[in-house]
Amino acid sequence: MSQTAMSETYDFLFKFLVIGNAGTGKSCLLHQFIEKKFKDDSNHTIGVEFGSKIINVGGKYVKLQIWDTAGQERFRSVTRSYYRGAAGALLVYDITSRETYNALTNWLTDARMLASQSIVILLCGNKKDLDTDREVTFLEASRFAQENELMFLETSALTGENVEEAFVQCARKILNRIESGELDPERMGSGIQYGDAALRQLRSPRRTQAVSVQECGC
Ligand code: GDP
Ligand code: MG
């Protein structure tokens, strides 16, 4: 199989969002996750708005299609269409800025109102490397996460610490919900699609019933 064909083989595609106040490091987190390096200020004009990457979650290949607010958050005008049909989100604050932490409730209200009801959200306390300037303790944020049913990690887009983990943990939770039947990928606006690999499984001889349903396109 060619490299391109291999890299496009996945079981599921999840639509992901990165939300939170401007300056918390959302674009840097996306860049670190995709490129495995820190995006320094000199190339901020490139303005990553979108990225995708295939990750392996417990043996399943999941393609994450990640949308960055691309500056919309500066005007508090993150639109309904941005939220539509997202399966997961990273909600980001900056551990050195209480202001960005205080804004979390507003972001959560928007996400729960405008995104899919079943959206899985991971709270991300970014800039973990700046511990000496910390304004929000780990304990306080983890309590907030618990009260609001969010997963929680402190990350550093600078060192890369916990960046991959944040995306993977969020994807794992979505996958668990699909496998337990709690989440139906075929429901409109679920933010989930089947990939080629999953379709191939459906077409395997063991699942002939699924094949006949699939092929009846008349
Ligand atoms: P956005 O507005 O949320 O997309 O934030 P950016 O990704 O543009 O980052 C805002 C600023 O924070 C930039 O100056 C980054 O260099 C810096 N930054 C982002 N993540 C980190 C981090 O983990 N540690 C440190 N020390 N700085 C960061
Ligand atoms: Mg940005």
Side-chain angles (χ1 to χ4, degrees):
M1 199 186 290
S2 77
Q3 194 65 41
T4 336
M6 257 180 68
S7 66
E8 279 311 309
T9 302
Y10 51 86
D11 297 287
F12 293 102
L13 183 150
F14 297 163
K15 180 184 167 184
F16 261 52
L17 305 177
V18 191
I19 54 177
N21 274 19
T24 52
K26 299 181 298 300
S27 300
C28 289
L29 282 166
L30 178 58
H31 191 84
Q32 176 64 256
F33 176 60
I34 306 278
E35 306 281 337
K36 288 205 175 290
K37 54 180 183 248
F38 185 57
K39 178 175 87 75
D40 63 51
D41 284 344
S42 61
N43 59 11
H44 78 278
T45 45
I46 298 166
V48 184
E49 297 176 16
F50 174 82
S52 72
K53 186 171 169 176
I54 297 176
I55 53 172
N56 185 330
V57 187
K60 289 261 187 317
Y61 288 95
V62 178
K63 180 169 181 167
L64 298 184
Q65 194 182 70
I66 309 152
W67 297 83
D68 183 8
T69 43
Q72 290 185 80
E73 77 279 23
R74 285 178 206 281
F75 315 105
R76 290 226 160 271
S77 63
V78 177
T79 57
R80 182 176 287 265
S81 63
Y82 177 76
Y83 282 103
R84 191 172 296 145
L90 253 53
L91 170 57
V92 187
Y93 70 96
D94 171 351
I95 66 151
T96 72
S97 159
R98 178 154 292 274
E99 190 192 337
T100 68
Y101 178 79
N102 290 341
L104 291 175
T105 322
N106 285 335
W107 284 105
L108 260 184
T109 310
D110 280 7
R112 295 249 150 95
M113 202 166 61
L114 302 174
S116 147
Q117 283 298 305
S118 52
I119 188 168
V120 171
I121 304 174
L122 185 140
L123 180 64
C124 211
N126 192 40
K127 308 197 187 178
K128 187 177 193 289
D129 55 287
L130 299 177
D131 198 54
T132 45
D133 301 325
R134 180 189 284 275
E135 288 185 1
V136 183
T137 67
F138 181 89
L139 190 64
E140 180 179 5
S142 56
R143 282 203 186 114
F144 176 84
Q146 224 170 17
E147 282 160 13
N148 291 280
E149 292 174 22
L150 310 168
M151 288 178 286
F152 173 55
L153 276 178
E154 283 191 347
T155 57
S156 170
L158 178 67
T159 67
E161 189 177 352
N162 278 345
V163 175
E164 174 113 5
E165 286 80 352
F167 288 95
V168 170
Q169 283 190 20
C170 201
R172 183 176 296 128
K173 181 133 179 193
I174 296 167
L175 208 53
N176 286 345
R177 286 191 178 173
I178 294 172
E179 283 167 357
S180 71
E182 244 178 291
L183 239 174
D184 177 9
E186 298 191 25
R187 191 181 48 77
M188 273 269 287
S190 69
I192 302 161
Q193 288 171 28
Y194 290 111
D196 291 349
L199 288 176
R200 256 199 298 282
Q201 268 182 10
L202 288 174
R203 288 191 192 108
S204 75
R206 277 186 296 126
R207 306 277 290 273
T208 38
Q209 251 190 324
V211 173
S212 58
V213 173
Q214 284 274 322
E215 284 179 350
C216 183
C218 50

